[in-house]
Amino acid sequence: AEAITSAAAMQAQNAPYSHSTKPHTVAARKKYREPQQEDGMVSANNIMFDKRVVRGNTYAAQILPATAQTEQLELERNKTKNLGRSTKRIKPAQRQEDVDPVEGRKHIDVQTEQYLEELTDRPIETDVDTQTDAFLDQLPAPIFIPMKTGVDVETQVEDGELFDFDAEVEPILEVLVGKTLEQSMMEVMEEEELQNMRSHQEHFEQVRNAELAETQRLEEAEKRRFEEKERRVAQEQERVQRERQVAEKVAARTFTKGFLSELQSSVVANLQDAGFFYDPLEVEVKEVFMPWLMESMNESTDMLRVARQIADDL
């Protein structure tokens, strides 16, 4: 054992490199951790929010644009202001006034703390100027060319080693010829079927036209018979109407003749009794002359009586 150890030590000294620790086998590791170990472990941070992780193109120089630098300066300035404001003591809320002031006076706020401080409505503002250096144009990013991987291998193929035209073309040619013949037979059969369909259609159209002509002839004959029947019925109704009118006229004439034969004598007698038949001269003497004569005599009599009265007065 000592000889083996010494030989190993001599071999390690003669080797171009040496190990810091003696080589040993890897200890067995469980597939899952124990629950108590998980409770004691600190949770790992999220690398998405780790500032040490570089994002974007890793081949180009990391130069922030002007807008990003301005935003960063603004963030730092706001952070400083917030820290300064947080150190100030918060102003106590004003107490609701319970008593109204005396006439001619008013209430004012008075600080009663041990140390007085200036109260302002607006925070103190200061202007700070700075001059930045001129920015140089950023160089375009170089085109990324991935590193070549793998091993190139080549071989030589002689004519006739992979493809024999005379042997390989025969099945292809058989398929082409068979398909061509099959398609030709299908087209011929289709043309024969179309010819049979056309002949059957022509025969059907002829039969249909003949049936249609016969139907039209029967319809015309039935129409003529119906019109003749309607005309005969109209003629018979007209004849019956004329006979009825003639019979009514004959009956009316007979009744009128018998009624008027006695009516004339009775009507003349009634009119004569009523005074419709008179002598015009007699009527004129009674209605015109006699009234005028009586009126003239009355006037003459009145004048004679007036004259006698005047004479008696004289």
Side-chain angles (χ1 to χ4, degrees):
E2 294 179 357
I4 295 173
T5 303
S6 61
M10 291 294 294
Q11 187 176 1
Q13 292 178 0
N14 296 329
Y17 59 87
S18 61
H19 299 280
S20 59
T21 59
K22 185 177 181 181
H24 60 278
T25 58
V26 180
R29 184 179 180 183
K30 295 182 179 181
K31 186 175 182 181
Y32 301 101
R33 296 188 181 93
E34 295 297 335
Q36 58 273 13
Q37 295 180 1
E38 294 182 357
D39 296 339
M41 293 179 63
V42 180
S43 59
N45 294 329
N46 191 352
I47 62 173
M48 295 299 296
F49 301 98
D50 193 348
K51 297 182 180 180
R52 296 172 296 177
V53 178
V54 180
R55 297 175 179 81
N57 189 0
T58 58
Y59 298 97
Q62 296 294 330
I63 300 176
L64 294 177
T67 56
Q69 292 182 357
T70 306
E71 291 177 357
Q72 188 174 1
L73 293 175
E74 186 66 23
L75 290 174
E76 292 178 356
R77 189 180 303 151
N78 293 336
K79 191 173 181 181
T80 305
K81 288 182 179 180
N82 293 332
L83 291 175
R85 290 178 182 177
S86 61
T87 56
K88 292 184 179 181
R89 186 158 48 89
I90 299 175
K91 181 180 179 181
Q94 295 181 356
R95 184 172 59 86
Q96 182 69 25
E97 298 293 343
D98 296 334
V99 182
D100 296 334
V102 182
E103 184 178 356
R105 297 183 180 183
K106 61 179 180 179
H107 293 304
I108 60 174
D109 296 332
V110 178
Q111 295 184 8
T112 58
E113 289 81 1
Q114 184 178 2
Y115 300 99
L116 300 180
E117 65 178 28
E118 183 182 1
L119 300 178
T120 58
D121 296 337
R122 296 179 56 185
I124 301 174
E125 297 179 356
T126 57
D127 296 335
V128 178
D129 298 335
T130 182
Q131 178 64 39
T132 58
D133 297 335
F135 289 101
L136 299 177
D137 294 337
Q138 184 178 357
L139 297 176
I143 300 175
F144 174 71
I145 300 176
M147 184 181 297
K148 185 176 180 181
T149 59
V151 180
D152 296 337
V153 179
E154 61 181 8
T155 183
Q156 179 67 31
V157 180
E158 300 294 340
D159 296 337
E161 290 184 357
L162 299 179
F163 180 76
D164 187 1
F165 179 79
D166 295 336
E168 300 293 341
V169 79
E170 185 175 356
I172 300 174
L173 186 60
E174 290 180 356
V175 172
L176 293 176
V177 173
K179 288 292 183 180
T180 304
L181 293 176
E182 183 179 358
Q183 185 68 21
S184 301
M185 292 180 65
M186 291 293 294
E187 291 178 358
V188 171
M189 292 174 66
E190 184 178 358
E191 291 178 358
E192 292 180 355
E193 185 176 1
L194 292 175
Q195 183 65 28
N196 294 333
M197 292 175 63
R198 282 193 292 269
S199 61
H200 180 71
Q201 185 176 4
E202 292 175 357
H203 177 69
F204 174 75
E205 290 180 355
Q206 292 177 0
V207 174
R208 186 184 63 179
N209 293 334
E211 293 178 353
L212 183 60
E214 182 66 19
T215 303
Q216 291 178 355
R217 186 182 65 79
L218 295 176
E219 289 179 355
E220 291 294 333
E222 183 65 23
K223 185 178 180 180
R224 287 195 299 271
R225 285 195 296 270
F226 178 76
E227 292 177 354
E228 182 66 21
K229 179 181 177 181
E230 293 293 330
R231 188 174 61 80
R232 294 290 180 86
V233 171
Q235 289 179 357
E236 184 64 20
Q237 291 178 355
E238 186 177 357
R239 185 186 64 78
V240 172
Q241 183 70 17
R242 286 198 303 268
E243 290 180 357
R244 186 184 299 109
Q245 292 178 358
V246 171
E248 291 177 356
K249 287 180 181 179
V250 171
R253 185 175 182 181
T254 303
F255 175 76
T256 304
K257 186 181 289 185
F259 180 75
L260 293 177
S261 60
E262 299 178 357
L263 182 63
Q264 185 176 2
S265 58
S266 62
V267 168
V268 171
N270 293 332
L271 292 176
Q272 189 174 1
D273 296 339
F276 286 95
F277 296 105
Y278 57 88
D279 188 2
L281 181 59
E282 184 180 358
V283 171
E284 187 176 358
V285 170
K286 290 181 179 180
E287 295 182 356
V288 178
F289 180 71
M290 290 303 294
W292 175 79
L293 181 61
M294 292 300 292
E295 185 177 357
S296 297
M297 288 178 65
N298 291 329
E299 292 179 357
S300 299
T301 303
D302 293 336
M303 291 177 66
L304 182 60
R305 186 173 60 253
V306 171
R308 285 179 180 180
Q309 288 180 358
I310 294 172
D312 291 338
D313 294 333
L314 294 176

